[in-house]
Amino acid sequence: FGREDIFSWIDRSLMGKYVDHILVLHGQRRVGKTSVLKQIPNFLPKQYIQFFFDLQGRTNTTLDRFIWWIASEIVRTLKKECNLDLPKPDRNAFTDPEAFITDFLPTVRNQLGDKVLLLTFDEFDTLDRPDIQDTFAKSLIAYLKRLIEQQGLNFIFSIGSSGNKLENMQASYTDFFKTALYRKVSFLTPDDCRRLITKPVEGLISYEPKAVQNIALYTSGHPYSTQLMCHELFSRCQKTGSRNITAQDVEEILPDVIERGTVNLKFVWDEASNLEKWTLATLAQAEGAALRDISKTLKTQQLRFSEAELNSAILHLRDKDVLTDENRFVIHLLKLWLLTNRP
């Protein structure tokens, strides 16, 4: 639902004067980056053939084995999407990763004519792990820099904005990302959020307008949180036999939503600095408090910090879409989770 502006940006960036740039989608956890990548074929011209690579769990490897996996995925996708039956890549042929550029790519291009290969890498920030820098990450980045120079290839990467992931990746691989174009994947618009709530169950379950309004209020259009609430409401209808969801139903499923969503909500807490954690716990008790009032509360807890550090912590939480400019929670569910679990 929605995201038309992002797909339009991808189309313009690949087709226009920025054709030689790499594209980077970034956004916080569970905000829909993977969904955007997987929906790309439905929005781009047919000249593009997309290949989707999820790096989660794929970085404890060597460069030659990784390149062989890339080649295998390309062959598998071409068979599925284009009915093109290429030989399965021989593992031994890729002991020298150079074979991908000199042998494999020319063979694929000869079969595709004017088609453009669009390589999309999800969870690219997994390369930021310190333990794989020398064994894999640096060599892969160097290899990708060479691939980007090849004709008929385009690249899109997704990176988390949470914590310092985006900043760390940019700093670690300055030369690689210096020509990149960035686009933030954020929350759904109010209209798209309403459609996400009502459309999948249209004709089966109806929502009172106030119920839809309250769901959007608790989630601010965060896709995962919105779907989580809808899942709990659907389960409630299955149990009760009701086919109409009211504002009262929304309120009554909140404890279950907080429990089910703990993994995702706790992620914000886990990656926050100590001072950010103190700030979040304070604002859960006094949402919207001014900087001086937060400082006063923290000092009563014998916490040591400078005003500059506190200001920096708050700005970082705002930048991650955790807090608004008024020091209120962007996702109200997070406040409820903090009140329950981090008093």
Side-chain angles (χ1 to χ4, degrees), residues 148-272:
I148 287 170
E149 297 171 357
Q150 302 294 312
Q151 289 187 335
L153 293 180
N154 277 281
F155 295 82
I156 302 178
F157 303 95
S158 82
I159 297 177
S161 294
S162 54
N164 296 307
K165 288 183 178 180
L166 179 59
E167 301 95 319
N168 288 345
M169 291 295 290
Q170 288 171 316
S172 298
Y173 308 114
T174 305
D175 289 342
F176 184 72
F177 285 111
K178 66 182 179 183
T179 60
L181 299 177
Y182 294 85
R183 180 76 184 215
K184 185 175 184 178
V185 180
S186 192
F187 302 161
L188 297 173
T189 66
D191 185 56
D192 288 332
C193 182
R194 178 187 60 77
R195 289 170 54 223
L196 175 61
I197 294 168
T198 59
K199 276 288 184 180
V201 292
E202 193 173 47
L204 179 65
I205 292 174
S206 62
Y207 280 84
E208 291 185 356
K210 182 65 174 173
V212 175
Q213 181 181 338
N214 285 0
I215 294 172
L217 181 67
Y218 283 120
T219 68
S220 291
H222 187 286
Y224 171 78
S225 298
T226 302
Q227 289 176 303
L228 178 62
M229 293 195 71
C230 291
H231 173 80
E232 290 300 325
L233 287 164
F234 189 88
S235 297
R236 182 182 177 88
C237 288
Q238 285 182 306
K239 294 174 184 176
T240 64
S242 173
R243 291 294 177 264
N244 181 57
I245 292 174
T246 67
Q248 183 62 32
D249 292 323
V250 173
E251 298 300 317
E252 291 179 0
I253 56 106
L254 284 176
D256 289 334
V257 170
I258 298 301
E259 181 182 349
R260 304 277 192 282
T262 286
V263 172
N264 197 58
L265 295 169
K266 186 174 179 288
F267 187 81
V268 176
W269 176 270
D270 287 342
E271 67 173 14

Side-chain angles (χ1 to χ4, degrees), residues 323-338:
L323 297 178
T324 69
D325 290 343
E326 294 77 33
N327 291 338
R328 307 190 74 83
F329 287 90
V330 174
I331 301 176
H332 192 67
L333 289 177
L334 178 58
K335 174 187 174 180
L336 300 181
W337 181 85
L338 288 164

Side-chain angles (χ1 to χ4, degrees), residues 38-321:
K38 290 189 173 183
Q39 288 293 327
I40 282 175
N42 297 324
F43 290 88
L44 287 188
K46 297 304 180 184
Q47 75 184 83
Y48 289 98
I49 303 176
Q50 186 204 21
F51 304 91
F52 178 85
F53 306 104
D54 184 359
L55 266 62
Q56 191 73 43
R58 286 280 179 180
T59 54
N60 289 319
T61 187
T62 56
L63 178 62
D64 60 317
R65 190 169 188 83
F66 185 85
I67 298 302
W68 169 67
W69 171 64
I70 294 290
S72 301
E73 286 297 298
I74 289 176
V75 168
R76 186 186 64 81
T77 301
L78 288 175
K79 182 176 179 63
K80 177 183 177 183
E81 301 297 332
C82 306
N83 199 28
L84 189 60
D85 202 0
L86 292 173
K88 186 177 180 180
D90 180 7
R91 171 72 183 92
N92 294 326
F94 290 86
T95 51
D96 180 4
E98 197 68 19
F100 185 86
I101 294 176
T102 58
D103 300 328
F104 179 77
L105 278 180
T107 300
V108 170
R109 284 204 201 92
N110 288 338
Q111 298 287 334
L112 295 179
D114 61 352
K115 298 285 188 181
V116 178
L117 279 66
L118 179 59
L119 276 57
T120 57
F121 292 86
D122 198 18
E123 304 282 357
F124 196 66
D125 42 303
T126 56
L127 290 180
D128 196 39
R129 284 171 40 205
D131 61 307
I132 62 168
Q133 291 306 299
D134 294 330
T135 58
F136 176 63
K138 290 179 181 178
S139 60
L140 176 61
I141 292 293
Y143 193 86
L144 287 174
K145 283 179 67 176
R146 294 187 57 211
L147 277 185
I148 287 170
E149 297 171 357
Q150 302 294 312
Q151 289 187 335
L153 293 180
N154 277 281
F155 295 82
I156 302 178
F157 303 95
S158 82
I159 297 177
S161 294
S162 54
N164 296 307
K165 288 183 178 180
L166 179 59
E167 301 95 319
N168 288 345
M169 291 295 290
Q170 288 171 316
S172 298
Y173 308 114
T174 305
D175 289 342
F176 184 72
F177 285 111
K178 66 182 179 183
T179 60
L181 299 177
Y182 294 85
R183 180 76 184 215
K184 185 175 184 178
V185 180
S186 192
F187 302 161
L188 297 173
T189 66
D191 185 56
D192 288 332
C193 182
R194 178 187 60 77
R195 289 170 54 223
L196 175 61
I197 294 168
T198 59
K199 276 288 184 180
V201 292
E202 193 173 47
L204 179 65
I205 292 174
S206 62
Y207 280 84
E208 291 185 356
K210 182 65 174 173
V212 175
Q213 181 181 338
N214 285 0
I215 294 172
L217 181 67
Y218 283 120
T219 68
S220 291
H222 187 286
Y224 171 78
S225 298
T226 302
Q227 289 176 303
L228 178 62
M229 293 195 71
C230 291
H231 173 80
E232 290 300 325
L233 287 164
F234 189 88
S235 297
R236 182 182 177 88
C237 288
Q238 285 182 306
K239 294 174 184 176
T240 64
S242 173
R243 291 294 177 264
N244 181 57
I245 292 174
T246 67
Q248 183 62 32
D249 292 323
V250 173
E251 298 300 317
E252 291 179 0
I253 56 106
L254 284 176
D256 289 334
V257 170
I258 298 301
E259 181 182 349
R260 304 277 192 282
T262 286
V263 172
N264 197 58
L265 295 169
K266 186 174 179 288
F267 187 81
V268 176
W269 176 270
D270 287 342
E271 67 173 14
S273 68
N274 286 338
L275 186 54
E276 288 171 0
K277 289 176 180 177
W278 279 94
T279 302
L280 290 172
T282 299
L283 287 173
Q285 303 288 337
E287 190 175 14
L291 179 65
R292 63 179 180 277
D293 296 321
I294 298 172
S295 177
K296 183 178 179 181
T297 300
L298 295 182
K299 286 177 179 176
T300 64
Q301 300 292 326
Q302 309 300 316
L303 196 67
R304 285 184 165 186
F305 61 93
S306 68
E307 297 303 316
E309 289 171 332
L310 178 59
N311 188 58
S312 178
I314 291 175
L315 289 176
H316 194 220
L317 290 170
R318 290 175 182 174
D319 187 54
K320 293 192 296 181
D321 290 332

